Amino acid sequence: MRKYLLAIFFILTALGASAQQYSLSGRVAGPKNEPVSFTSVYIRNSTYGTTANEEGRYRLKLSPGTYNVTYRFTGYKEQTESVTITDHDEVHDVQLAREIFRFSQVSDKWKYNLDPGDTIMRMVIDKRRAHLEELNGYSCAVYVKGVQKLLSSPKSLTSKAVTQALDLDSNGRGILYQSEMLSNLNFERPDKVREVTIASKQAGVNTAFDYSKASDLQVNFYNNVFKINGLSTRGYVSPLASNAFNFYNYKLIGSTIQNGRTVDKIEVIPRRENGQYFQGNIYIVEGDWRLYSADLMLTNKRSSLNLVDTLRVSQQYIPITDSVWMPAAVQLNFKGSVFGFKFGGYYEAIYNNYKLNPTFPKGFFNGEILRIDTAANIKTANYWNANRPLLLTRQEARDYQKKDSIAAYKKTDIYLDSIQHTKNNINYFTYTIFGYSASNRAETDSLYIFPFLQTFYYNTVEGFGINAKVRYSHKIDDLHSYSVTPALRYGFSNKLFSANMLAEYFNDPFHNSKFYVNFGSDVLDLNNVGTRSLYFNTLSTLLYENNYVKYYRSQFGGFGYQRELANGVLWMGGLNYSSRTQMYNNAFGHLFDVKNKEYTSNNPLAPAGTPPDDHSFLFPQHQALTFNTSVTFTFDQKYITRPTGKFNLPSKYPTLTLNYRKGINKAFGSDVNYDFASADISQYNMRIGLSGFSSFKLTAGDFFNHNTLYYMDYYHYLGNQGTTFDPTYIGSFHFLPFYTYSTSGAFFEAHFQHNFAGSILSKVPLIRKLKLEEVIGANFLSTKGNPNYKEFYVGVQRLIFRVDYGVSYAGNNKYIQGFRIFYGLR
């Protein structure tokens, strides 16, 4: 018995030793002992590897055995070395030689070719689709590392407090932001993605852009158009695109032999000075005519980039099998400058443990493109030290240590008590425009006071008035919360006081579920889709004697519910009761007396020339019980699942919404009796190749029972009067009067807009530096009893600023033409 126990003991010991892993680490340097940052280090004939950090240091975890370790970086000769791991950690430094691509090593078939670069690239492009589709899918582990640094800062703008807060050195340099992520990524052709983030870490303040999922860094030059999330609204032509010869010239620099393969270095040269084109080098494997690696650059001098001035895209492919190559590493390296502050950084993605053409279960790709594990954000420092494939540099480790300490301190009672008062201090300038927010230190309770610009107002019905509105929110737990929004309104001329409240309860963030109830009294716009804000209506009334908005009185109560019934299917329903009263003008003051101008009646249907104190009849006082419901279908809905809920993403397909509204007669004294139905289909930001993106919305509807309804029950349109407009919603008009076309019959409206995203003006010297985006669009409306209305416009925008010029027609007659502007306020 003792003999058998000893045998079992030795077997278990041997198995334990074989399962033990040790680290292979070292430094990768060049001929002058300079660090070769971001060198790909991988085990040959495997799918396991890593990347050296900025200091050239790397680490792999390996079981005992002998391995062929390949070291590869663009510009250096690929080097494979045999390394044996026994029963301890190994240190293996490597010195790479500069790669020399000699024309003398070029195959004889290319030497005497007039355009060898073009000839090679024609063969590569001929096989582009074959390489793009050489496998149906894959699974792999992905590690993404991001670093944003301040490279220098003007001393005149960098105070001592800023230097200390950002941990900058004497030259104004330091790390602003770091992020890390470990994910399992699954892909199936043509574009199905599902990813699970198992660990995530951030430190610092993100001042530029960020990649929240590994699929954002899927760099594939075999696609015709290369898209860069966050840095450009346009696409960039891949040097391997099927039509690449329309945009690029190619020059063969030379060839070299890498592990028995002939690799050609091809210089990529844009045919035009400016445009959505790369410049740099790509490396091609002869015979297979596939991409070996890429080192390409985008600059603001040639291409329109947001936030940064230069972007370098580097990519290394490795053979997974004899016929399939996949990326081992991808890097985006960027630099930029804002007001003298120079910044830079990188995002590095490392791919490991490829499984090719796996069999995914039925329904595996269900629209969830990313799931963040509940424990992803609470991984310990020991976990990261053991699992991150890219070693931290000394600066990065020091930055993490300091920021982790600061983050821990910020959770203490001493710190929270000390900043509570400061955090909730009011800034009167921002309150005027954006409102004021305050919260308790645990951030479970918050209060928002609506902006001053929406609090004090003037109109011809109420005169000067106060509309005091606040919102209180309470977070019960991560999945349940509620908010209460009371409002008080008083008009000094008509001496009318209104009070109302909206309460919302959010009970299931995984299905976008909420209940709401509202009740009280208010002064409302007769156009229930909205016309002008209180702020802009006050300006137009007092300064220009344009009392555009027409009001009525409502005393109401209602409740409703919404829920996502299935992925991409959102249902909403509600029941509302109101008592409605017509209102009239009471105040006629103004700051300037505009010549030949007079206020208009509060009855939008009163004929032109009606005096402003008109009391003509629009509707009798009545009661209305209304049921409304809608179902929105978002086809192929993609979403992200976080521990706190489901977050839907824009779909690449149109969205269909079906609406139904019924005026219920006699119940609770209700006077209305009608049925209304409509359908609209819309899509926003559809990428159109290299020419920006388009948006559209089509809506049609009818009252198929209109026995009894009143003006506010009509179908109304989002028109516009005045020089300002809101371009954020595709479905609004530039020049359409607010009330003229409102209908109780059938209608059809269409809206289209295309944003060229700078593809035209970027070719104009000097103007291209402004990074303006060109916009064109058209709107159309057909209603019963009115001539067809149409308008066309062109415009330019930058950030929150936009200027349009348009012309409109009622039937065949020109209606209005002129400029419309937007500067961020609504």
Side-chain angles (χ1 to χ4, degrees), residues 349-360:
I350 300 172
Y351 300 84
N352 274 310
N353 303 325
Y354 278 105
K355 294 180 177 61
L356 304 183
N357 295 321
T359 301
F360 295 109

Side-chain angles (χ1 to χ4, degrees), residues 738-758:
F738 292 132
Y739 305 98
T740 304
Y741 282 80
S742 297
T743 184
S744 60
F747 69 92
F748 172 73
E749 61 175 315
H751 307 267
F752 174 80
Q753 180 175 286
H754 183 76
N755 186 323
F756 288 94

Side-chain angles (χ1 to χ4, degrees), residues 268-445:
V268 177
I269 307 167
R271 287 180 177 268
R272 301 173 183 86
E273 182 64 25
N274 299 307
Q276 304 303 100
Y277 322 124
F278 292 94
Q279 57 185 333
N281 300 296
I282 56 176
Y283 301 82
I284 303 299
V285 180
E286 276 200 26
D288 286 343
W289 310 115
R290 66 168 67 249
L291 194 61
Y292 179 77
S293 60
D295 187 19
L296 297 167
M297 182 80 72
L298 293 170
T299 66
N300 254 333
K301 291 183 179 180
R302 288 183 176 271
S303 308
S304 295
L305 289 169
N306 295 323
L307 303 176
V308 302
D309 296 328
T310 63
L311 180 72
R312 181 180 179 183
V313 183
S314 301
Q315 186 181 40
Q316 304 282 345
Y317 277 81
I318 61 172
I320 307 300
T321 68
D322 290 339
S323 60
V324 177
W325 290 50
M326 296 294 289
V330 174
Q331 185 187 79
L332 303 183
N333 199 298
F334 59 89
K335 288 185 179 180
S337 178
V338 178
F339 301 121
F341 292 88
K342 295 182 179 180
F343 63 91
Y346 67 87
Y347 280 90
E348 177 85 13
I350 300 172
Y351 300 84
N352 274 310
N353 303 325
Y354 278 105
K355 294 180 177 61
L356 304 183
N357 295 321
T359 301
F360 295 109
K362 185 178 180 180
F364 180 79
F365 295 100
N366 59 356
E368 182 186 58
I369 64 170
L370 175 64
R371 173 177 290 272
I372 300 177
D373 188 88
T374 54
N377 294 318
I378 57 174
K379 301 296 186 183
T380 65
N382 288 336
Y383 173 91
W384 283 106
N385 290 335
N387 290 279
R388 65 164 57 94
L390 182 63
L391 290 175
L392 298 177
T393 64
R394 287 183 289 267
Q395 183 188 27
E396 291 167 357
R398 187 173 63 250
D399 180 73
Y400 262 149
Q401 186 176 13
K402 178 173 181 177
K403 287 188 169 73
D404 285 347
S405 298
I406 293 173
Y409 173 68
K410 287 183 176 180
K411 295 178 181 179
T412 63
D413 290 340
I414 295 176
Y415 176 81
L416 293 172
D417 289 338
S418 68
I419 69 163
Q420 183 62 28
H421 178 71
T422 303
K423 183 177 70 172
N424 291 334
N425 276 346
I426 186 170
N427 181 307
Y428 290 100
F429 174 76
T430 56
Y431 159 64
T432 299
I433 302 174
F434 304 108
Y436 166 72
S437 297
S439 62
N440 66 346
R441 73 177 200 179
E443 297 188 349
T444 56
D445 296 273

Side-chain angles (χ1 to χ4, degrees), residues 487-507:
L488 302 176
R489 181 165 178 155
Y490 182 75
F492 289 97
S493 290
N494 64 355
K495 296 180 173 52
L496 186 64
F497 175 78
S498 302
N500 60 80
M501 180 178 293
L502 168 67
E504 296 178 293
Y505 174 62
F506 304 88
N507 68 313

Side-chain angles (χ1 to χ4, degrees), residues 44-93:
R44 194 171 177 185
N45 298 323
S46 81
T47 64
Y48 175 57
T50 187
T51 298
N53 64 16
E54 283 190 284
E55 297 170 344
R57 300 190 179 278
Y58 73 94
R59 182 183 66 187
L60 288 169
K61 288 193 170 183
L62 300 169
S63 299
T66 299
Y67 301 89
N68 290 320
V69 184
T70 298
Y71 301 83
R72 196 173 110 192
F73 189 73
T74 304
Y76 293 85
K77 189 171 183 178
E78 182 178 310
Q79 193 164 314
T80 301
E81 300 202 357
S82 179
V83 178
T84 299
I85 304 296
T86 55
D87 58 354
H88 58 272
D89 296 338
E90 290 285 346
V91 176
H92 189 80
D93 295 336

